[in-house]
Amino acid sequence: MPFSSPREYVEEESDLQTSEAANMAQINICLKRIFTIFNIFFMVVGGVVILLALWCQFFMSIRGGHNLEGRATQLFILHIVGVITMMIAVLGAYGAHKESKVALIMFLVFMFTGCLLMLMTGIPAASSYPQVKGRMEETFRKFVPLDKSRKDVRNMAEDIQKQFHCCGLFSYKDWENIPNSCVCSQEEEKEGKCQTVGNNNFMQQSKSIYAKNCFPTIMDYIQFHYNIILVISFTLAVLALLGMILSSIMIHQLYYPNRPTVMISMMPPKYEELYNIPEY
C-alpha cells in the first residue's frame, strides 16, 4: 500500500480544513457585513424613537401636566416601538453571526409584520390629513362662544393662548368676556403683536390683546405631529422591507448552501482556459 508523502498529507489536511470552513460558513461574508451594518442602523433608529418619546414627554411636562396626560398613550406606543425595534435588530445580528435559521426566520416574520403595521399606520395618516383641517374647524366652531363651553374647553383655550400668544380660536370675538390670557405685555405691544379692542362687557375698559388667533397655530402643531408619525412609519416600513430581502437571501443560503443566489456577486467571474493541453 503506497504511503503519502509529507507534502501530499499537508495538502490533503489543508483541503479538509478548507472544506470544513466552507461548510461552517454558509452565508456570504459580504452579505453578513451588509446585514450587520443594517441591524446597527436599525438599532440606532429604535434608539432615536425612544429619545424622541422622552423629549416629547419632557417638553409636555414643562408646558403643563394635562398635556402629558392626554398624550400618555401615544408616548407609551413610541417607547414600545423603539424597544421592539432594538430587540429585533439584536435578533437579526445574532442570527447572522451564528447562522441560526430559527433566529433569521423569526427576524423575517417580525420584519414582515412590522412592514404591514407601519404601512397600515402611515398610509391612512397621509391620506386623511387634507380632511383634518376641515374637521378640526367644524369641531372648534361648536365651542364658540368659549365663555359658555365646558370648563375643560375653557381651560384648554386659555392654556393655548398663554403658550402661543394668541387670542380666540378664530377671533377674539370668540370670547364674550376677553380673559387675561389674551392680554399682551408692554414688550409685545412695542413689537406690534397686539391690538386694542373694546370688551364686549361695556362695564370694563378696552384691552390690548394678541392680534393673531389660535387656530392656525393649533393646525401647525397638529401638522408637526402628523409629520413625525409619517416619517417614523415610512422609515421603519422601508427598513423592514430591506430587512426582509436580506434575511430571505441569508435563509436561502442556509437551506441551499451549494446553490448560488442571484443577488450579490462581489468577486468577478473566473475565466477558464479555452484550449486543451496537447497530450504526448
Side-chain angles (χ1 to χ4, degrees):
M1 180 177 181
F3 293 96
S4 300
S5 64
R7 181 178 179 181
E8 292 177 350
Y9 177 78
V10 171
E11 291 178 354
E12 290 177 0
E13 185 177 1
S14 177
D15 294 339
L16 181 59
Q17 291 177 355
T18 304
S19 178
E20 290 177 353
N23 291 330
M24 291 177 62
Q26 297 178 349
I27 299 178
N28 184 279
I29 187 63
C30 294
L31 183 61
K32 263 189 179 183
R33 291 173 181 173
I34 294 173
F35 193 68
T36 301
I37 295 172
F38 166 79
N39 281 287
I40 292 173
F41 180 73
F42 200 55
M43 189 180 299
V44 170
V45 171
V48 170
V49 172
I50 295 175
L51 291 177
L52 180 63
L54 292 174
W55 179 82
C56 291
Q57 185 175 355
F58 176 75
F59 180 77
M60 291 179 182
S61 64
I62 294 177
R63 293 296 183 178
H66 66 280
N67 290 332
L68 182 60
E69 293 176 1
R71 300 289 181 177
T73 303
Q74 297 179 5
L75 293 176
F76 178 75
I77 292 175
L78 280 180
H79 281 293
I80 294 299
V81 169
V83 171
I84 292 177
T85 300
M86 297 183 72
M87 292 176 62
I88 293 175
V90 172
L91 177 65
Y94 171 81
H97 178 69
K98 296 293 185 179
E99 298 192 357
S100 171
K101 297 178 183 178
V102 176
L104 289 174
I105 291 174
M106 291 176 61
F107 180 85
L108 176 61
V109 172
F110 284 133
M111 286 292 99
F112 178 76
T113 306
C115 185
L116 287 182
L117 290 177
M118 292 300 103
L119 291 177
M120 290 172 61
T121 302
I123 293 176
S127 60
S128 64
Y129 179 74
Q131 291 81 30
V132 170
K133 184 176 181 180
R135 293 175 185 174
M136 294 294 294
E137 183 175 356
E138 182 180 354
T139 301
F140 286 167
R141 292 286 182 187
K142 297 178 182 179
F143 297 149
V144 178
L146 294 171
D147 306 72
K148 298 180 180 179
S149 297
R150 302 190 310 268
K151 184 178 180 180
D152 59 332
V153 175
R154 295 197 305 271
N155 293 337
M156 179 194 69
E158 292 206 40
D159 289 339
I160 291 174
Q161 290 173 165
K162 292 178 183 178
Q163 179 177 347
F164 298 111
H165 296 179
C166 54
C167 186
L169 295 175
F170 305 98
S171 170
Y172 71 91
K173 295 181 181 180
D174 294 342
W175 295 98
E176 293 181 353
N177 187 14
I178 299 175
N180 292 330
S181 58
C182 285
V183 178
C184 289
S185 63
Q186 293 181 355
E187 295 180 357
E188 290 170 327
E189 288 181 3
K190 295 177 181 179
E191 294 175 358
K193 298 180 180 179
C194 307
Q195 60 180 344
T196 302
V197 298
N199 203 317
N200 293 334
N201 188 345
F202 296 101
M203 299 298 293
Q204 297 182 4
Q205 298 179 351
S206 60
K207 293 183 177 181
S208 178
I209 62 172
Y210 298 117
K212 68 176 183 178
N213 57 344
C214 298
F215 183 73
T217 305
I218 294 173
M219 290 308 303
D220 291 340
Y221 185 75
I222 293 174
Q223 183 178 8
F224 174 73
H225 284 80
Y226 256 86
N227 291 337
I228 290 177
I229 293 174
L230 292 177
V231 169
I232 292 176
S233 299
F234 287 110
T235 300
L236 292 178
V238 171
L239 289 176
L241 181 61
L242 181 59
M244 288 169 55
I245 295 173
L246 293 174
S247 57
S248 299
I249 296 172
M250 296 199 324
I251 292 171
H252 177 272
Q253 290 186 354
L254 288 175
Y255 276 100
Y256 305 100
N258 297 324
R259 183 180 300 179
T261 52
V262 182
M263 178 184 175
I264 303 174
S265 180
M266 297 295 183
M267 300 297 294
K270 295 181 180 179
Y271 295 93
E272 295 182 355
E273 296 180 352
L274 301 180
Y275 61 89
N276 297 325
I277 298 175
E279 297 180 357
Y280 296 98

mmCIF file of all heavy atoms in Angstrom, residues 239-266:
data_model
loop_
_atom_site.group_PDB
_atom_site.id
_atom_site.type_symbol
_atom_site.label_atom_id
_atom_site.label_comp_id
_atom_site.label_asym_id
_atom_site.label_seq_id
_atom_site.Cartn_x
_atom_site.Cartn_y
_atom_site.Cartn_z
ATOM 1 N N LEU A 239 -37.137 50.211 6.073
ATOM 2 C CA LEU A 239 -36.110 49.384 6.718
ATOM 3 C C LEU A 239 -36.595 47.944 6.886
ATOM 4 O O LEU A 239 -35.818 46.997 6.720
ATOM 5 C CB LEU A 239 -35.758 49.981 8.084
ATOM 6 C CG LEU A 239 -34.968 51.298 8.059
ATOM 7 C CD1 LEU A 239 -34.777 51.821 9.473
ATOM 8 C CD2 LEU A 239 -33.632 51.116 7.370
ATOM 9 N N ALA A 240 -37.870 47.775 7.217
ATOM 10 C CA ALA A 240 -38.411 46.418 7.363
ATOM 11 C C ALA A 240 -38.388 45.676 6.025
ATOM 12 O O ALA A 240 -38.075 44.484 5.966
ATOM 13 C CB ALA A 240 -39.832 46.484 7.913
ATOM 14 N N LEU A 241 -38.714 46.379 4.941
ATOM 15 C CA LEU A 241 -38.676 45.754 3.614
ATOM 16 C C LEU A 241 -37.252 45.341 3.249
ATOM 17 O O LEU A 241 -37.022 44.234 2.735
ATOM 18 C CB LEU A 241 -39.235 46.728 2.573
ATOM 19 C CG LEU A 241 -39.282 46.226 1.128
ATOM 20 C CD1 LEU A 241 -40.178 44.998 1.018
ATOM 21 C CD2 LEU A 241 -39.786 47.340 0.199
ATOM 22 N N LEU A 242 -36.283 46.209 3.531
ATOM 23 C CA LEU A 242 -34.886 45.866 3.262
ATOM 24 C C LEU A 242 -34.430 44.695 4.126
ATOM 25 O O LEU A 242 -33.709 43.797 3.651
ATOM 26 C CB LEU A 242 -33.996 47.086 3.517
ATOM 27 C CG LEU A 242 -32.499 46.922 3.255
ATOM 28 C CD1 LEU A 242 -32.253 46.531 1.809
ATOM 29 C CD2 LEU A 242 -31.754 48.204 3.594
ATOM 30 N N GLY A 243 -34.862 44.687 5.387
ATOM 31 C CA GLY A 243 -34.536 43.557 6.266
ATOM 32 C C GLY A 243 -35.135 42.257 5.773
ATOM 33 O O GLY A 243 -34.511 41.191 5.882
ATOM 34 N N MET A 244 -36.350 42.305 5.221
ATOM 35 C CA MET A 244 -36.972 41.106 4.656
ATOM 36 C C MET A 244 -36.152 40.554 3.496
ATOM 37 O O MET A 244 -35.941 39.345 3.387
ATOM 38 C CB MET A 244 -38.397 41.443 4.186
ATOM 39 C CG MET A 244 -39.401 41.672 5.305
ATOM 40 S SD MET A 244 -40.957 42.357 4.684
ATOM 41 C CE MET A 244 -41.402 41.150 3.447
ATOM 42 N N ILE A 245 -35.678 41.453 2.623
ATOM 43 C CA ILE A 245 -34.907 40.999 1.457
ATOM 44 C C ILE A 245 -33.597 40.346 1.893
ATOM 45 O O ILE A 245 -33.244 39.242 1.449
ATOM 46 C CB ILE A 245 -34.639 42.189 0.514
ATOM 47 C CG1 ILE A 245 -35.959 42.711 -0.053
ATOM 48 C CG2 ILE A 245 -33.689 41.781 -0.612
ATOM 49 C CD1 ILE A 245 -35.819 43.983 -0.864
ATOM 50 N N LEU A 246 -32.864 41.014 2.789
ATOM 51 C CA LEU A 246 -31.567 40.492 3.218
ATOM 52 C C LEU A 246 -31.718 39.181 3.981
ATOM 53 O O LEU A 246 -30.966 38.215 3.745
ATOM 54 C CB LEU A 246 -30.851 41.527 4.085
ATOM 55 C CG LEU A 246 -30.417 42.820 3.376
ATOM 56 C CD1 LEU A 246 -29.849 43.810 4.377
ATOM 57 C CD2 LEU A 246 -29.422 42.523 2.283
ATOM 58 N N SER A 247 -32.676 39.114 4.900
ATOM 59 C CA SER A 247 -32.852 37.888 5.688
ATOM 60 C C SER A 247 -33.335 36.739 4.811
ATOM 61 O O SER A 247 -32.949 35.581 5.033
ATOM 62 C CB SER A 247 -33.836 38.129 6.835
ATOM 63 O OG SER A 247 -35.086 38.582 6.345
ATOM 64 N N SER A 248 -34.156 37.028 3.808
ATOM 65 C CA SER A 248 -34.619 35.964 2.902
ATOM 66 C C SER A 248 -33.451 35.366 2.124
ATOM 67 O O SER A 248 -33.371 34.134 1.949
ATOM 68 C CB SER A 248 -35.665 36.525 1.929
ATOM 69 O OG SER A 248 -36.787 37.010 2.611
ATOM 70 N N ILE A 249 -32.527 36.213 1.668
ATOM 71 C CA ILE A 249 -31.364 35.709 0.939
ATOM 72 C C ILE A 249 -30.484 34.865 1.845
ATOM 73 O O ILE A 249 -29.980 33.799 1.439
ATOM 74 C CB ILE A 249 -30.571 36.885 0.334
ATOM 75 C CG1 ILE A 249 -31.418 37.611 -0.705
ATOM 76 C CG2 ILE A 249 -29.269 36.401 -0.291
ATOM 77 C CD1 ILE A 249 -30.799 38.884 -1.226
ATOM 78 N N MET A 250 -30.304 35.272 3.090
ATOM 79 C CA MET A 250 -29.460 34.508 4.010
ATOM 80 C C MET A 250 -30.110 33.168 4.361
ATOM 81 O O MET A 250 -29.413 32.151 4.467
ATOM 82 C CB MET A 250 -29.179 35.333 5.266
ATOM 83 C CG MET A 250 -28.390 36.574 4.942
ATOM 84 S SD MET A 250 -27.521 37.370 6.313
ATOM 85 C CE MET A 250 -28.559 37.157 7.650
ATOM 86 N N ILE A 251 -31.419 33.169 4.550
ATOM 87 C CA ILE A 251 -32.114 31.906 4.814
ATOM 88 C C ILE A 251 -31.980 30.978 3.612
ATOM 89 O O ILE A 251 -31.782 29.768 3.759
ATOM 90 C CB ILE A 251 -33.597 32.181 5.146
ATOM 91 C CG1 ILE A 251 -33.708 32.907 6.489
ATOM 92 C CG2 ILE A 251 -34.391 30.884 5.191
ATOM 93 C CD1 ILE A 251 -35.106 33.410 6.796
ATOM 94 N N HIS A 252 -32.071 31.534 2.400
ATOM 95 C CA HIS A 252 -31.891 30.721 1.187
ATOM 96 C C HIS A 252 -30.507 30.098 1.151
ATOM 97 O O HIS A 252 -30.340 28.914 0.802
ATOM 98 C CB HIS A 252 -32.125 31.601 -0.037
ATOM 99 C CG HIS A 252 -31.895 30.896 -1.341
ATOM 100 N ND1 HIS A 252 -30.657 30.829 -1.944
ATOM 101 C CD2 HIS A 252 -32.753 30.208 -2.150
ATOM 102 C CE1 HIS A 252 -30.758 30.146 -3.060
ATOM 103 N NE2 HIS A 252 -32.022 29.766 -3.230
ATOM 104 N N GLN A 253 -29.484 30.867 1.534
ATOM 105 C CA GLN A 253 -28.128 30.333 1.532
ATOM 106 C C GLN A 253 -27.929 29.259 2.589
ATOM 107 O O GLN A 253 -27.137 28.334 2.400
ATOM 108 C CB GLN A 253 -27.121 31.472 1.743
ATOM 109 C CG GLN A 253 -27.006 32.412 0.557
ATOM 110 C CD GLN A 253 -25.909 33.436 0.731
ATOM 111 O OE1 GLN A 253 -25.288 33.528 1.784
ATOM 112 N NE2 GLN A 253 -25.677 34.234 -0.306
ATOM 113 N N LEU A 254 -28.640 29.371 3.701
ATOM 114 C CA LEU A 254 -28.525 28.343 4.740
ATOM 115 C C LEU A 254 -29.186 27.037 4.315
ATOM 116 O O LEU A 254 -28.684 25.949 4.614
ATOM 117 C CB LEU A 254 -29.147 28.853 6.050
ATOM 118 C CG LEU A 254 -28.360 29.931 6.800
ATOM 119 C CD1 LEU A 254 -29.143 30.419 8.007
ATOM 120 C CD2 LEU A 254 -27.014 29.385 7.248
ATOM 121 N N TYR A 255 -30.318 27.128 3.643
ATOM 122 C CA TYR A 255 -31.016 25.911 3.217
ATOM 123 C C TYR A 255 -30.405 25.312 1.953
ATOM 124 O O TYR A 255 -30.459 24.093 1.752
ATOM 125 C CB TYR A 255 -32.501 26.221 2.974
ATOM 126 C CG TYR A 255 -33.331 26.167 4.233
ATOM 127 C CD1 TYR A 255 -33.688 27.333 4.897
ATOM 128 C CD2 TYR A 255 -33.749 24.955 4.771
ATOM 129 C CE1 TYR A 255 -34.446 27.305 6.050
ATOM 130 C CE2 TYR A 255 -34.504 24.913 5.927
ATOM 131 C CZ TYR A 255 -34.850 26.084 6.564
ATOM 132 O OH TYR A 255 -35.602 26.038 7.715
ATOM 133 N N TYR A 256 -29.843 26.152 1.094
ATOM 134 C CA TYR A 256 -29.233 25.662 -0.148
ATOM 135 C C TYR A 256 -27.819 26.221 -0.246
ATOM 136 O O TYR A 256 -27.550 27.155 -1.028
ATOM 137 C CB TYR A 256 -30.064 26.091 -1.365
ATOM 138 C CG TYR A 256 -31.501 25.672 -1.282
ATOM 139 C CD1 TYR A 256 -32.483 26.589 -0.889
ATOM 140 C CD2 TYR A 256 -31.890 24.357 -1.583
ATOM 141 C CE1 TYR A 256 -33.812 26.202 -0.811
ATOM 142 C CE2 TYR A 256 -33.217 23.971 -1.507
ATOM 143 C CZ TYR A 256 -34.173 24.895 -1.119
ATOM 144 O OH TYR A 256 -35.484 24.516 -1.030
ATOM 145 N N PRO A 257 -26.895 25.694 0.545
ATOM 146 C CA PRO A 257 -25.537 26.269 0.585
ATOM 147 C C PRO A 257 -24.768 26.119 -0.714
ATOM 148 O O PRO A 257 -23.880 26.917 -0.992
ATOM 149 C CB PRO A 257 -24.872 25.481 1.720
ATOM 150 C CG PRO A 257 -25.636 24.193 1.800
ATOM 151 C CD PRO A 257 -27.039 24.539 1.437
ATOM 152 N N ASN A 258 -25.064 25.125 -1.513
ATOM 153 C CA ASN A 258 -24.312 24.888 -2.742
ATOM 154 C C ASN A 258 -24.960 25.502 -3.969
ATOM 155 O O ASN A 258 -24.451 25.369 -5.073
ATOM 156 C CB ASN A 258 -24.143 23.384 -2.976
ATOM 157 C CG ASN A 258 -23.339 22.743 -1.864
ATOM 158 O OD1 ASN A 258 -22.407 23.345 -1.333
ATOM 159 N ND2 ASN A 258 -23.714 21.515 -1.490
ATOM 160 N N ARG A 259 -26.103 26.169 -3.774
ATOM 161 C CA ARG A 259 -26.803 26.769 -4.902
ATOM 162 C C ARG A 259 -26.553 28.272 -4.893
ATOM 163 O O ARG A 259 -26.831 28.952 -3.915
ATOM 164 C CB ARG A 259 -28.303 26.490 -4.806
ATOM 165 C CG ARG A 259 -29.097 27.021 -6.007
ATOM 166 C CD ARG A 259 -30.566 26.726 -5.857
ATOM 167 N NE ARG A 259 -30.805 25.285 -5.772
ATOM 168 C CZ ARG A 259 -32.011 24.758 -5.613
ATOM 169 N NH1 ARG A 259 -33.075 25.549 -5.499
ATOM 170 N NH2 ARG A 259 -32.150 23.449 -5.546
ATOM 171 N N PRO A 260 -26.032 28.830 -5.976
ATOM 172 C CA PRO A 260 -25.719 30.267 -5.976
ATOM 173 C C PRO A 260 -26.991 31.105 -5.958
ATOM 174 O O PRO A 260 -27.983 30.764 -6.586
ATOM 175 C CB PRO A 260 -24.938 30.467 -7.283
ATOM 176 C CG PRO A 260 -25.408 29.354 -8.167
ATOM 177 C CD PRO A 260 -25.703 28.192 -7.257
ATOM 178 N N THR A 261 -26.943 32.200 -5.210
ATOM 179 C CA THR A 261 -28.064 33.121 -5.182
ATOM 180 C C THR A 261 -27.898 34.165 -6.265
ATOM 181 O O THR A 261 -26.801 34.448 -6.741
ATOM 182 C CB THR A 261 -28.139 33.821 -3.816
ATOM 183 O OG1 THR A 261 -26.864 34.384 -3.538
ATOM 184 C CG2 THR A 261 -28.506 32.849 -2.728
ATOM 185 N N VAL A 262 -29.009 34.767 -6.652
ATOM 186 C CA VAL A 262 -28.999 35.679 -7.790
ATOM 187 C C VAL A 262 -28.526 37.067 -7.399
ATOM 188 O O VAL A 262 -28.161 37.861 -8.230
ATOM 189 C CB VAL A 262 -30.427 35.765 -8.388
ATOM 190 C CG1 VAL A 262 -30.469 36.666 -9.608
ATOM 191 C CG2 VAL A 262 -30.911 34.383 -8.721
ATOM 192 N N MET A 263 -28.459 37.347 -6.089
ATOM 193 C CA MET A 263 -28.313 38.732 -5.662
ATOM 194 C C MET A 263 -26.926 39.311 -5.844
ATOM 195 O O MET A 263 -26.646 40.036 -6.780
ATOM 196 C CB MET A 263 -28.723 38.866 -4.205
ATOM 197 C CG MET A 263 -28.551 40.284 -3.685
ATOM 198 S SD MET A 263 -28.911 40.434 -1.976
ATOM 199 C CE MET A 263 -28.461 42.132 -1.724
ATOM 200 N N ILE A 264 -26.041 39.003 -4.949
ATOM 201 C CA ILE A 264 -24.785 39.739 -4.849
ATOM 202 C C ILE A 264 -23.629 38.854 -5.281
ATOM 203 O O ILE A 264 -23.483 37.751 -4.801
ATOM 204 C CB ILE A 264 -24.558 40.238 -3.419
ATOM 205 C CG1 ILE A 264 -25.737 41.108 -2.993
ATOM 206 C CG2 ILE A 264 -23.259 40.986 -3.283
ATOM 207 C CD1 ILE A 264 -25.683 41.521 -1.561
ATOM 208 N N SER A 265 -22.839 39.359 -6.188
ATOM 209 C CA SER A 265 -21.609 38.676 -6.563
ATOM 210 C C SER A 265 -20.499 39.715 -6.534
ATOM 211 O O SER A 265 -20.299 40.468 -7.479
ATOM 212 C CB SER A 265 -21.745 38.051 -7.951
ATOM 213 O OG SER A 265 -20.561 37.410 -8.308
ATOM 214 N N MET A 266 -19.811 39.792 -5.406
ATOM 215 C CA MET A 266 -18.790 40.814 -5.222
ATOM 216 C C MET A 266 -17.520 40.526 -6.012
ATOM 217 O O MET A 266 -16.792 41.437 -6.373
ATOM 218 C CB MET A 266 -18.452 40.940 -3.725
ATOM 219 C CG MET A 266 -19.620 41.406 -2.878
ATOM 220 S SD MET A 266 -20.089 43.090 -3.332
ATOM 221 C CE MET A 266 -21.396 43.383 -2.147
#
